Every structure is written in C-alpha cells, then in structure tokens.
Amino acid sequence: MSSLLIGGGMTTHAFASGLTSLGRVEVVSLMKTKSVQQTPIKGVVKDAATGQGITGVSVKVKGSSTGTSTDENGAFTVQGKVGDVLVVSYIGYKSTEVTVSSKADLAISLSGSEDALEEVVVTGYSAQRKKDLTGAVAVVNVKELKTTPAASAVEALQGRATGVQIVVDGAPGSTPQIKIRGYSTINNNEPLYIIDGVPYEGKLSWLNQNDIETMQVLKDASAASIYGSRANNGVVIITTKIGKSGKPQFNLDSYYGIQVPNSGRFPKMLSPQQTLDIENRLDGTNNVMPDYLIAGPKVGGKDVITAADVDMSKYKYDASSRSDFYQITKANKAGTNWFDALSQNAPTQSHQLSVLGGGEDASYAISGGYLKQKGTIIHTGFEKYNLRSNTRFSAFNNKLRFGENMQYSFTEGFGMGVNTNTAGDYIGEGSALGFAYRIHNIIPVYDEGGNFAGSVGGQYGNGENPVAIAYRAKDNKNKSNMFFGNVFGEFDIVSGLTFRSSFGMKYENYNGVSYTYPNPEFTEGSFNNGINEFFGLNKEWTWTNTLNYKKTFNEAHTLSILAGTEAIQNRNRQIRGKGNGFFTMSSLDYLYLDAASTGRVSEGSGSVGSLFSVFGKVDYSYKDRYILSATVRRDGSSNFGPNNKYGTFPGASAAWRLSEEEFMKGISWLSDLKIRAGYGVTGNQRIPANQYLNRYQVAINSSSYPIDGSLTSGMWHNAYSNPDVKWEQVSALNLGVDFTLAQGDFDGSFDWYNKKTKDMLYLLPLPAVAAGRAGSPYVNIGDMQNKGIEFSLNYHYGRRQESAFKLDLSATISRNVNKIVSLAPSVTQQVYGSFRSMETSILKPGEPLGAFYGYKVIGIYSEADMNNASVAKYEDGKSRAGGLKFADVNGDGKIDANDRTVIGSPHPDFVYSFNINAAYKNFDFMAYFYGSKGNQNYEATRYFTDFGVFRGQKSTRVLDEWSPTNSGSMIPSQVRNASAYEYASSSYYVQDASFLKLKNLQVGYNFDTNKVFGSNTGIKKLRAYVGVTNLFTITKYEGLDPEVTATPSTYPALGVDFGVYPQARQYMLGVSLGF
Amino acid sequence: MKKRNIITVLGISLTLLASCGKSFLERDPQAELPESQIVNSKGIEASLIGAYGILNGNVNGTWGNYSSAPSQWLFGEVAGDNAHKGSEATDQPNMNMIEFHTPNSSNDNLSQMWEVYYEGVLRANNTLRILKADQAGGKTVTAARAKEIEGEARVLRAHYYFYLWRVFKNLAYVDENTTDDEAKTKPNKDDVLPKIIDDLKAGIANLPATKINSQAGRMDQNIAKAYLGKVYLYQKKYADALVLFKEVIGAKDLRTMPYQNNFNVLTKDGPEALLVSKHVINPDGSGDNANVGDMLSGLNGSNPVGCCGFYQPTIDLVNAYKVDANGLPLLDGSYRNNPYKSDFGLSDDAKKAYKLDVTLRFDPRLDYTVGRRGVNFYDYGVMPGDAWIREVSSGGPFVGIKTMIPKSLHATHTASGAAYITDLDVNIIRLADVVLMAAECQVELGDLGAAMNLVNAVRERAAKLPPKTTGDNVAAAVYVVKPYTSFPDQNYARKAVRFERRLELAMEGHRFYDLVRWGEAKTVLESYATFEGGFMSRYKGLNYKPQNDYFPIPQSQIDRSGGALTQNQGY
C-alpha cells in the first residue's frame, strides 16, 4: 500500500499520496451494479498507481452527515443504500464520487491529484497538502530545477524560490553561497538541510541533482521552528526518489556540454607600450622596452643584456638556488592577455541511470550517476560518482513499515582551489585569478627555454605567473567519500497513531593532497618543493523517534499531533602530513611523505559535538477553512555551558481559506484564496565548541621558544571563555497570501516578513589588554533585522484547455532589507575585510551586514581645489591635483581616518527571475532569466590596475585619467608616490553590480518511440534537447562576473571582488531515455 | 494489546531520554587544556616558556609581524633618519605613514604592536597567576624555583610594557591580579614606568647572576640591571642608571668581543649578548620562531635572498660614517657636504659606467651595516646596485646587511623555501649599548673623561673590523676609526656620545627612540628630511609635531574597550 512509500522523516500516508500526485495514473473505478435498501456498505479504497489500500480516506454519503474513514487496510464500512453517492476524498488525490449500485463490496481506486494545491509537501517530521500550508514554504519545481545543469543541486536552486538568494561562481563543483531571507547572522548563513529526514549541514556537491524528488524551503520561523536551534538560516527539505509499485522503469539521462569562457568580459588592460609611456611621462625618462626581461642575473631595463647573456647554453631553469638559476626571457612587447592564457573551453558531461519499481510489500529505487566537469580556468575540474538505493518493505498487513535510504558518493576536485568547503575559498590576491590582474603583461607566459616566465628580477613588479600557479596545482586533489543515509521503521500502534524511529548516519571520509613546486621565475619565489596531504573523517549520527497521531473528527475537524525526540552526535577527526626536500618533483609516483628529506611534520585535530532535542507539533484544521499549526522544540547542545545548555523554540501559524467561505463562493474567477500568518522562534548554535571554557594550548608555532637554542615547547592561554554563551535567536513574523485564479490559469503568492535576530552570536574581539592575541569567545550581543517581501506569479495555459500548445510562465521577485540593529554596547562599529592597506567592510548599527567602508569620493582635486584652503586635504599633506577628492565627513577641514564612512552595500534591492516553459506537440522550450538589482561589488582588483600599486598591468580605464583638460573624468591621474590615501578604501572601488542573466535556454523534442523504434519497442520515452546556459549577462560591472561570493574573513566580506572564478557559457546536448 | 504497545513506545522514549542526559551533552575541549590541567609545575614552566615566546614579537605565522619585530626596525629606524621603508613607494602604505610621521589610528602596524606586546604581558601575568595559585595550594614548584620564575616573568613583563610604552606612552596596566572583566575596560591612564621599575627590581632580587640551567635564553640578573638602567636613563636618572650599567659592564672588555659576531648566526649568545630575542627554524622548516619581524628586509631582485626589499639605509646614515683625517666622525654635520650617494641619480650610461671610489674615508662599521654597490656582500658576490633594489627612486641606492646571513648558511639557517627568514638572534640590549648608555650618564653627570673612555672602547673595537673588499679584492674604502683624544666640553661630549650611538647601533632599532629621549626628534628629523628630500622628493617637507614623539592608540582597540581607552593627545 501507499504507506510503503514513506520517505525518511515524514509521515506515511501524506507523503505517499504526494508522490502519487506526481505520477500520472488512470482512475480505475470498479463498481458493481445492484441496488438494495439502507445497509452497511463495505469497500476498499486503493491507490490507482500502486494498488495499495489507503488509510484515513474520508468516505461520505453525499447529502447526508453519514461518513467514515478507511482503516489501515483502506477498508471502510458506511451506512447507505444502493443509489447513494459516496464522496471519497483524501489529500493528494483527486476526490471522486462513486454511486453505490449494488450490495457487493466496492473497490474504489483513487488517483493522484494533478491539482498543485493538492500536492503534498514535507514540512518537518510530517507532510501537508500544499493548500494547508500556514507558514512560508517555497515548494521548488524540481523538474524545472533539473533543467539547469549544475554540479550542485543548491546551485540550480538559484531563482527557483522566492526569498532564496544564491551566489554562484564558475568553479567546477564549487560551493555556492546560499542564504534564505537575507543574512540572519554575522556568522555562517548556510541553511540546514534535511535529506530524507536526516539533518545535514555543509556543502551539497556530493548530492546528485537527479535523485531529488522534492525540495521545499522552509523560509519563516513558524515553519522552521520545529527544527529549533539549527533553523535560523532556514531549512531546505529534500526527499529523494523512491520506488513505485509495478514493473521496473529504467531511465537514462545524459548530457554533454562545452563551457566557453566569456572572453568578452575579460578586463581590458593597457599594452606594455602604453604602460611604459605613462611611466616615462611620470619619471621624465625616455626608456624603451627592453628586448629581454631577464638573462641570468641581468635584468632588462636595468642592466645591459648582451648576446653572450642570452646564450641558451647558459640557460638553467631546473636549479636548486637563486645563484644557480639562469633564465632567459624575452619581453612580450605585444602584451600577454593573462585572462586568455588562463582560460580554456571545457567539456562537461553527466550520465545518470535509474530504476524504480516494486510490488505489493516492497519497492525499490536504485540509481547511479557520473558527472565530470572541467573548469574554464585551466587545470581545474570536478568529478562525481554516486550510487543511491532506497528500499521499502511492509509487514503485518502494512502495520509495520521499514526501509532504508542510502547514498554513496565519491567526489574529486582537482586543480587550484576547486571544490573547497567554503564559498569563495580560492578568491584572493594570491590566487591565479588575483594575479591575472596584477602581473605585468610585458611578461610572456613562457621563457626562451619553454619554462614559465615570471617577474624574477623585480623590475616588472611582483606578480606571479597565474598560468604557472594553475599548472602547478593541476595534481592537487580534494576527494571525498560520502556515505549518507538512514534506516527507519514505523509502526501503527492503533489507527491513526504511528511510532517511527529513524537512525541516520553521515560518514564522510575525505582526503587530499597538494604539491608545492619551485617557482624560481617569480621574484618572491622559492626553490622549495613539497607535498601536503590530509585525511579526515566526518561522522554524524542522528536518531529520531516520533509519535504521530492523526484523526478526523466529525469530518470537519482534522487533528494531527506529533511528539518526538532527536539525538545527534558528531565527530570530526583529521590528520595532516607535510614534507619537503624531495629529490625530484618530476614524477607523482615518487611524491610520498616517506620520500621527503626535510620538514616532515604531522598534525591532527578534531571536534566533537552533540545535540539532544524534544519537540512537538499540533496541526488542526476545520473544514479546510481555518488551519492552525503550533510547534515547540527544546534543544540541548554541547556547545553551551551549564548556564545555558537548553533553548526553547516555539512557533505558531494560522491560515484562513477565504475562498471556502460562503460569501466568496460566488466569485467565479477566484479558485482559491488563503491568507496566512505565522510567528516563530528559531535558533543558531553554529559556533566552535567549548566557548564557555578557558582553554590553554601547547603549540609549536605560537607558544614555543628556543630557550636553550633548540625549540622548547610552552603553553599559552589561547582562548578566552564566556560562561554565559547561549543560543542566538531569530523571531520572525510572516504574513502571506496564496491565490489561484481563473480555474488555475494563474496562481501565486505574496509574503511579507519581519525577521529579528537577537542575542546574536558574535565573535566580539576583546581588547588586547584583556585577551592579547588569543581567541575571544562568542558573546550573545547584537541584533539584526531582515524585512522583506516576496512575490511570485505563475500563468498556465494549455492543460486545462487541453491544447496542443502548453505554456507556463512564472515570475518571482524578492526584496530583503538587511540591517544590523545593534552590536555590543561597547562596539560602535567593527571594520574588517583587511586587504593590504584597505579595510573593505564594516559592521555598524543601522547599516546592512558587510556594508562597504572607506572614503567617499566626491571628485578629483583640481588645481583650484589645491589652492583653496577650504577644500579638505589629506592629513598627510600629499593631496594633489588629479588625485581623488574625498568627503570631509566629520567636517574638521582635513581628510583622515575619521572621515571613513559607509560607501555602499553588497545587498541587492531585489532579485528576480522569469521562467518560460512552453510545449507544442513534441517540442518543448524553456528559458530562464535571473537578475539582481541594486547590489554593488567592491572591485578590489582596481588597487593594482588603477593606482599603480606594484608595477604591473594597468586598466584601460587610466586612459581616461583626469587632467586639467579632461577635468570631467573621475579617474585619478597616474602618479608616482601617491599618498596612501589615494588608494585607501574608497567609493572608487565600489561599483554597481546589478545584472540580468539568461541563465538557461533549452529546446527539447520528444520522439514518438513507436515511430522511431517500432511498435514492439521497450523504449517508452526518448527526449533530446539542446541548451545553452549563461547565454548573456547584462551588467555595467567591469569585473569578470557580477556574481561575487563572499571572501572568507572573520565575518563574510560580501561582494569583495579579488578576481572571481567567472561563470562560463555552456552549450549542451542531452538525451533522456525511458524503458 | 494496544495499551501494551503504547507503554512500549513510552518506555523506549524514556530510555532514550535517560540515555541522552547530561553526559551526552558534555564534551571536553579537543587538543586543548582546561584550566584544571595547568596549575602545576609543568604547566607553570610551560606558561613561562610561552611568555618568553613573545620576545620575537610574533604569536605565530611569518607574514605580518613587522612592526612588532624585536628589532623595532619600523618605529625605531624607519621613523628615524637611519632607514627608509624601501620596497616600492606604494607597498605597505601604512608604513609610509609611520615613516613620514603622519600615522592615523587605523594603521595596522600600530594594532600589531599593541596586540602582540599585550599578549606578552598577559602571558607573563598568567604565569605569575598560576604560580601564585600553586604556591597557595599544591606547591608543586619549589620555593627556590618559584622565586626565579617570578623574576623571569616579571622581567619579561617589564620588557613588554617598556616596548609598548615607548610607542604609545599611555597604557592600561594589567597584572596577575587584574580580572578579565577589569581588563576589558581598563583605561590607559596608568603611569607604567614605576610598575616596570618594580618588576625589574624584582628581577634583580630574584634572578641569579648566571643563566638558569645554563640556558642562554633565560633572564638573569645582568639583564634586569641593564634594563633598569635603561629605564632610568629614559627618566634622566643618570646616577641611578650609571650604578647599574657599571655593575653590568664589570670587568668585561668590549674590545675582546668582535663587533661582527653580533650579527652572525654562528656566534649567537656571545659574551656581548645581554637581552636577545632568540630565534630558531622549526624542526619542520617553518619560520614561526625565527626572525620573522625582519623578513621584509630580505633583499629583492637577482640575489640569493629574493624577498621584499624593505628597510634600506638612508643616504644620510651612510654619509654619517665618513671620518676625518683623524679617524673621527664629522660631528658638525659636514658629513652632508659633497654627499656620497653611490650611483644614485646617474643617467643610464653613467650608471652603467659607475665605479666605486675606494679612496673615500669611512668608519668600517659602514660596510657591516650597509650594502652598497661595488662592495662584496657576504658570499653573494659584489652588490650590483639597482638590480638588488626594488625601487631605487623611492628607496635609495643602499641595502641593509645586519639582518642578512651568508648564502652558505641559507641551507641550515633559513626557513625552508624562504631565505629571508633566518634564525639570526636579534639583540635587544647588547654590551656596547650599555657601554654607550653609561657614557651618556657620565656626560650628563659631568665626568667627560670617563665618558670618553667608554666611547673609545667602542671605537677601538670597531677599528679591529676586517676591511670589506670590492670585486677586485681591494679594500672598498679607506677604513679608519680612531679614538677620541679629548672631549673639550660637555656639549661636544654629548654630541660625540650620541653620534657614536648612532654609528654603533644603526639599524638595530634604537634611533628614533633615542632622538625622542634626547628631545632632538624635531630638529634632527626635519633637517634630515630636507637633506634626504634633495635626492628623493618624497622625504621633503616634514613637519614634525609634538605628538609625533609617540603614536596613536589603535582605533580598533579603543573601539573594543568601549571607549575606556582614550586616544593620545594630538591624534
């Protein structure tokens, strides 16, 4: 029966029917005809698809108050007579009316509902009809989601649900940055995932997008508070595909694509000659470009390089020291385009095979997949193998149901920084992309001997060859073996009362290696070599027990009560080994730590944590008209000390279906209208362990001293305590409207919310007088607010009209306004995001998280300004005509550190998406736009390209530099010895990064398999499609990609662009085969 | 049946609840120690070592520890007239602001200095705190050892406070009796010098005259005495200071201790060493405990070091090493006449044709302090000029040498892959420093003869330096340094002693603090800026203000204290 089809972590029946609603099944009404007088009428209600009995189905005699509901076998008995009409209804199924035509037992078959409102969604330990939702729950159209090829399911979620903002970058297997309804905390904003009922925190690149059956995002606290202390950032509930009764159904999905770097967006740089012209002008010199940059110890432009110096017999790249090294490099007078050199067309492919099937008391779903994506930055890529199985069994007349979900996934990222654990990990001035901005373009990629050329000699700055960085990282690997799954059993104790127990396990075994090659061509390079290897495991078990009672009283009152406990324990353990001084780096086969001659070191670390919770939930509805839901959860966490170990998180919500009221019945264009209100409290406990204790550390690097010449280990107080540390809390109010108009042609929803974070877990840095350089503890201080609105509107044409042309349009728009309400009383502001001499970002009450911070540019100093004492000048006395003119914010007549102010925000005013799905006969078409409006990026790369900080490339922007004759320009004139104020953090770096992207465009064709393969074919479905992703981007932003993930820092430095891994355009060809 | 099932379920739930009780939610720190583990002899000794660990101005890591370097090169030398920041003009702009005396409170070099040395203070405090707890309870440390530990920790604390005081002047004083909560909002209104003096006196009383366990890095009585004398000197308590300096010098004869041994990784812990920051390359080859504070001075360009090219000697300093026919320095400032500036400012062809003039008369300490074109630089070969300099136009034609070590020692005395991170110890107080401080005291106390004898000891030692050579293996200059024959008056004597101090200790982190101490910072630095600005215009036009004698309190620290810390006057 259908309850076999339970997904982990949700109640039986509802989910099963939800599943059925997705499959199309025929209504098979088996009726017998003979009429009799009032008498018990017996029957069985079964699922049309699975043939299993359905429990709890409402069976009413039309026009009377008589009614009942089915038992655990789907059987019912009701008083009636031949000729009566029985109304049979159950959530997730099409209601049906059956005329009693004989005394014989009825066999009633219910088929899944096609009505979107009847769709059943999982919302936390239980499931509901979409129409009964009282909280803000975004139900993701998984079918549409899957049309966007992505290594990570989260990446594809972009724009698919209102209120969910995702920033992705182009790195294969990258970890997108996801936030739900804004930043609720200054800490980690990743949501909690519930996969088949098992909570999961972390990146999701191991999960196969194709295995996802449903995805719901619990956005507001009333919906999420059942997940209590980990739900502050929202909860994403994922269920995976499960088996169906019937013959095995095989499905093969494959695509192949080519990613093409968007070279049109590469930054434009001056040619070496143009750069030299500027330098000559500034220095009053007449230097010409040298023919050679380096020949052994002689450097072009400083020394005379003779023919004898460039004798290739002297060339020695493979040296062991500077003095031994002899490189000969010609100048690339045409200029190297480092971005071109770093980019490539990259293939991507994905193949998935799945089989679903089952019988009376068992079902199964098994799938396997392979994905390989090369990166458009050379020598990067990602590969994933995954295998999934779930099986369901039932026994004792379906009173006992049990099964398992299991996934195993092997992922491997290779190359520079790919597949990191934090969004943006590989962005930074020292990354290949960072150096592509910075290295001088007179330097060629390769020298005369075919080895990498570089900045050695120092006369052309200190950029490192980014192609060399990428090449040398080509064998760096980051691998993970992830096992994730659960076993569960549930038992119907009495009708309506179900006990369920689920034991989930995550076991990740990860390892990686990175190689250090000598980089002698780099002016700050070394001859060192080495490897760095790590192994580790992440283990987490979750044991969940729930009791669920469901009953309908008097056919009008539906009550569902859930109570449960959950225990979670996790452990992480890692070992790392390093070594250097390898005899050779020429063969990976040689590179094991045993072969390291020097610097062998081993390190290890670990963490443990546990959580224990009790929770309860009550859902009540009256005639589908008034719906109430209340939840409460009490969590205890090992992260907190005896003073505050436990936290309680309540939530309540209600909905009123106006369209069910008599006074609304007459409105023909209104099919359904529901208003919702919810309020709830959620928590956050994602902080490092043991903050409530003072901790001391013995560490070679930070507490040792060579007291007798050799290193002696000592100890230091490395972490200060806050015994009172407790839960961070979000309390949120949500008001919403769901509507369906014109017989389902239009539907949509609107939500308004106000989310307040209090007792924010804040890594409040203590003054050094109290804590020195040691770690400060988290304290609960500071408030943050997110207010927003979300609107989605869908239009459907074709299905109701039974037209050959079908069209679905959907548009979403989400606006979130983030504001830090207060920090600690002692903290008026916190400046962070240190990058060389800049500090890019700030936490300040009244401003959004990560607002950009610096001097506000109000123009360029003119000669007149310089002679006008009333125009504020830099405090260092080095202002000049042609330099940036800043606002004298405090009005003291001079520009100094006190004039820094908020200069921009990385947060968009709103994000929006537009999706077109159309089908005509065998053709289908899909286009998907995603946009963000009003967000700004901090284009930190301008530090190097616009201000001449370090000798390197210059942006073509400087061609428009200010001059007395070009006084309208906002580009400072080029200068030597600029005041540090000129290139300090200022609004010059802050750029509008609004964008609109055509994320995906796809055309498919469904072949008539009988025509193609003949009528005896076993092939049931064949669809082929062509698509292109990231076809265009409309933006004014001049960086590589307007989508910039946060740079890791104490607090996330949002939108700070040091050179992101840009998203590529991808052309793809795919096929989907069913048999 | 049904009832029984319900009971079963409840039973399971209760068992579950019970099993997930208190202990399930208690987790001990991983790879860290709770307080209960450290109050014992082992913990106290380890904490003391941790307190020594800040002598190198670094908690961990290599990059970023520049301003807190034990050498104090940035505040002590770049802020003075001995050194340029170097590198490129736009590199480390916050250091430019230190160099040009336009620092603002957001300068990361200031917060680095403040945080690291307060970390040192807290480590000393923690050692004293747990020592006290042990002595009041378990007494796992013997009384004799407890006395020594107290002495060691208090001298360390004195040193850390003194370093902070020189830079910031107005400090918040915390000791082992201060609670964490008090420390968070402690105002910076304490006069810390008396507390420093107390600590140093305790050091003198508690520490043995010889090194504990013969461990070269340990504090001893001589160090405490020299340091206390130095603090007295800063307070102009010349008589008190002199007594201590005389005790430290004792019968030691500087002339028997080669000058160059002070900057040689093979002759660490020599007889001249008093307080040093000891450095070592970690067993794994990493550099956290090495001389990371001075790493940026690693030479740039085509030489065996390959680093960053910071910390370049000034033209003014180089010329100060000129001597007259009598082998005496040009105290009247005439050393700036007809300045020697290597190949600086020559046109391309003239530069290529440049040849070192070996007939110039120089104090030999010049070439043990400065690398200049045409002179052999350790075993790197002849210093080629611009090819070793990152940006001559802003940094000048010279490079430093005191922080560098011979190429032949790179393999064994530098961090792996980073020849600019060496295990060279850094002198914080060495005997010549004490001798010259004693000379200052004698001058101010009016015993000019004694002062001259002390200065002459330094000069006679310098005269023993072997000549440096050119590529042609001839002496790179006419090296001559001779003792003074008379100090005609106190003013002359004062000038001579101060000039000697500059020559002997140049690039060792004393200069700016000395100028401030002498009240000469404004006149000397403005005059220097005019002279140096004649070559590199960025140095022109210094307007040295009274508040430039000290630096602003880091704004980030004021913020963190909730305003309990207040900004120094003038900033």
Side-chain angles (χ1 to χ4, degrees), chain A residues 36-37 39-43 61 76-82 84 86 100 102-106:
Chain A
V36 282
Q37 285 302 306
T39 166
I41 297 171
K42 289 183 177 178
V61 178
F76 67 89
T77 309
V78 69
Q79 292 297 321
K81 57 181 189 298
V82 171
D84 277 354
L86 300 183
V100 180
S102 82
K103 260 173 85 177
D105 286 1
L106 293 169

Side-chain angles (χ1 to χ4, degrees), chain B residues 182-234:
Chain B
E182 283 165 2
K184 285 175 197 167
T185 53
K186 195 96 194 337
N188 55 333
K189 296 198 162 78
D190 296 303
D191 182 2
V192 299
L193 281 186
K195 315 271 190 187
I196 291 172
I197 289 167
D198 282 353
D199 277 346
L200 292 169
K201 282 179 176 169
I204 294 169
N206 288 12
L207 290 170
T210 53
K211 297 283 183 187
I212 300 157
N213 299 331
S214 310
Q215 288 174 320
R218 295 274 179 192
M219 291 296 175
D220 61 26
Q221 207 175 47
N222 270 332
I223 294 171
K225 283 179 178 171
Y227 221 127
L228 183 57
K230 186 169 185 169
V231 176
Y232 283 150
L233 184 63
Y234 271 73

Side-chain angles (χ1 to χ4, degrees), chain A residues 556-577:
Chain A
H557 307 274
T558 307
L559 182 67
S560 169
I561 300 172
L562 174 97
T565 64
E566 192 162 79
I568 296 172
Q569 188 187 310
N570 58 57
R571 164 170 274 292
N572 167 272
R573 200 174 177 101
Q574 192 185 71
I575 54 168
R576 300 175 291 273

